[in-house]
Amino acid sequence: QILQGEAVMQGSLSKDAITTILVTAVLIWVMPLMIGTYTLTVLIVYGMLGLSLGLIWGFGGILCFGQAAFFGLGAYTYAIAAINVGESTLPMILAVMVPAVFAALLGAMMFYGRLNDVYLGVITLVVTLILFKFINSTAGPQYVIGTARLGGFNGIPGFQTLNIPGRPDDYIWGDSYFYVCAVLLGAVYFLVSALLRSSFGRVAVGIRENETRMSLMGYDVRIRKTVLFAAGAAIAGLAGALFANWAEIVTPSLFSLGQSAEIIIWCIVGGLGTRFGPVLGAAGLAYLKFLLGQQSVIDNTLITGLILVLFVLFLPKGVVPALAGLWKVSFGRRPLGRIHQQRRMRNRERQNG
């Protein structure tokens, strides 16, 4: 039975790999025909950011109001390291590692302290606000890390953007940068799928459903929640570094409360407990915000709030679960017993007729 279960899991993982490759190929070759690559790049970055919270909240049951903190931490880490190093390879690695280590330390304090969901949300929110206030107050010349000035509310501009590893003068920008971001999103999506299909992922979902039962079964709930929390922060840090390369400037607004709220809305609209839902919700709402930003009649925040209310009332599970349910009802296989029963009824009708 164990070997059979492993074979099923490997088969499912291979299907995930094929699906990821196909979706990434469509994203690379079809989407630029409809939307410019510059806009598509930031939509991909936001999709990766939504996926980071979708992993933590949707599969781990950890409601984190501080995902923007890891996003901003990754962006600032990249900018500071890029100015000091003068090349992008090491800064990209640090942009993933620093938020992951920070989240692991914060998560260990929270989960080993046995805090419930309400206090988890409050602490992550407070951490985000602290970072936002701190970065805003670093405008003075004394706030320097190496040769990089933090810049306060003005942010950090003029850092080295993404280049070919080992070749600082060969920049990756424009369409090439879009391709890199699309491939990275596909790779992250596949790694998340592999993690969730592993024994660690199945235990994490069990913890989400009933933490006490999983603890009584002998699983160390605290370490698994900490690792999952750090993994989500690492993905958010990578998204932050990619955003910094796209915008070519990092500002304290990355840590803002509005950014944190938007990430939560993306996951709710797309569908919690799914891998593709947060990606779709993030890209869709971000593109809608981009379109609405071209007019001044209606406030973007009002539209976003209205969308959230409508989805909570009429599609509480989100877009992807609703579409999956509709597909199952319309084109799903009917139970075998019901098919046999319908055949028997037809045969009886023919005999009686």
Side-chain angles (χ1 to χ4, degrees):
Q1 291 179 350
I2 295 176
L3 293 175
Q4 185 179 2
E6 291 179 351
V8 171
M9 187 173 65
Q10 291 176 357
S12 300
L13 195 59
S14 63
K15 291 180 181 178
D16 286 339
I18 295 172
T19 303
T20 303
I21 293 172
L22 291 176
V23 172
T24 305
V26 170
L27 180 63
I28 290 175
W29 281 292
V30 176
M31 292 303 295
L33 300 176
M34 298 179 285
I35 306 173
T37 54
Y38 182 78
T39 304
L40 276 175
T41 302
V42 73
L43 298 183
I44 289 172
V45 172
Y46 284 150
M48 188 180 297
L49 180 58
L51 179 61
S52 69
L53 182 60
L55 174 64
I56 295 174
W57 187 16
F59 294 97
I62 306 168
L63 177 55
C64 175
F65 284 97
Q67 207 66 12
F70 308 132
F71 180 63
L73 198 58
Y76 266 83
T77 299
Y78 175 84
I80 294 169
I83 291 175
N84 285 280
V85 175
E87 203 261 351
S88 66
T89 305
L90 180 60
M92 286 296 293
I93 297 173
L94 291 175
V96 176
M97 293 181 60
V98 170
V101 173
F102 179 76
L105 295 175
L106 179 63
M109 289 188 292
M110 293 189 302
F111 301 130
Y112 279 87
R114 299 185 182 278
L115 300 179
N116 59 26
D117 294 339
V118 175
Y119 290 106
L120 288 176
V122 170
I123 289 176
T124 53
L125 178 61
V126 169
V127 168
T128 305
L129 293 176
I130 290 174
L131 289 173
F132 177 69
K133 292 292 184 182
F134 171 73
I135 295 297
N136 265 304
S137 63
T138 56
Q142 68 273 23
Y143 295 102
V144 180
I145 300 178
T147 58
R149 289 186 57 178
L150 297 182
F153 51 82
N154 292 317
I156 306 176
F159 47 83
Q160 172 85 11
T161 55
L162 193 66
N163 58 261
I164 298 174
R167 296 160 62 179
D169 295 329
D170 293 334
Y171 296 100
I172 301 174
W173 60 282
D175 291 348
S176 299
Y177 186 63
F178 161 70
Y179 298 142
V180 169
C181 291
V183 171
L184 285 176
L185 176 60
V188 169
Y189 185 88
F190 176 73
L191 290 175
V192 168
S193 301
L195 177 66
L196 294 175
R197 291 193 182 279
S198 66
S199 59
F200 178 89
R202 293 195 294 271
V203 172
V205 174
I207 293 172
R208 178 196 67 185
E209 297 298 327
N210 195 321
E211 183 175 337
T212 303
R213 178 178 295 176
M214 298 304 292
S215 180
L216 292 175
M217 291 175 65
Y219 294 105
D220 191 343
V221 172
R222 297 166 296 181
I223 187 62
R224 283 172 168 79
K225 293 178 75 172
T226 302
V227 171
L228 194 68
F229 193 62
I235 297 172
L238 176 59
L242 295 176
F243 181 86
N245 280 281
W246 175 81
E248 299 184 9
I249 185 174
V250 294
T251 61
S253 62
L254 298 174
F255 296 97
S256 67
L257 183 60
Q259 183 71 68
S260 298
E262 279 190 354
I263 303 170
I264 293 174
I265 293 173
W266 294 342
C267 293
I268 293 174
V269 171
L272 278 175
T274 64
R275 290 162 292 168
F276 187 64
V279 178
L280 180 63
L285 289 180
Y287 187 62
L288 177 62
K289 185 178 179 180
F290 168 75
L291 295 177
L292 292 174
Q294 300 176 1
Q295 52 83 40
S296 57
V297 178
I298 306 175
D299 185 21
N300 293 342
T301 307
L302 179 63
I303 296 296
T304 305
L306 180 62
I307 290 173
L308 175 62
V309 171
L310 292 176
F311 269 86
V312 169
L313 290 176
F314 300 105
L315 283 177
K317 292 184 179 181
V319 173
V320 171
L323 292 177
L326 182 62
W327 177 270
K328 188 178 295 185
V329 170
S330 303
F331 305 102
R333 295 180 179 178
R334 291 179 295 176
L336 193 60
R338 186 180 299 175
I339 294 175
H340 290 324
Q341 185 178 4
Q342 291 177 353
R343 287 178 179 175
R344 293 194 196 99
M345 292 179 63
R346 291 197 201 100
N347 292 332
R348 289 176 183 173
E349 289 176 356
R350 291 173 183 172
Q351 291 175 0
N352 294 332

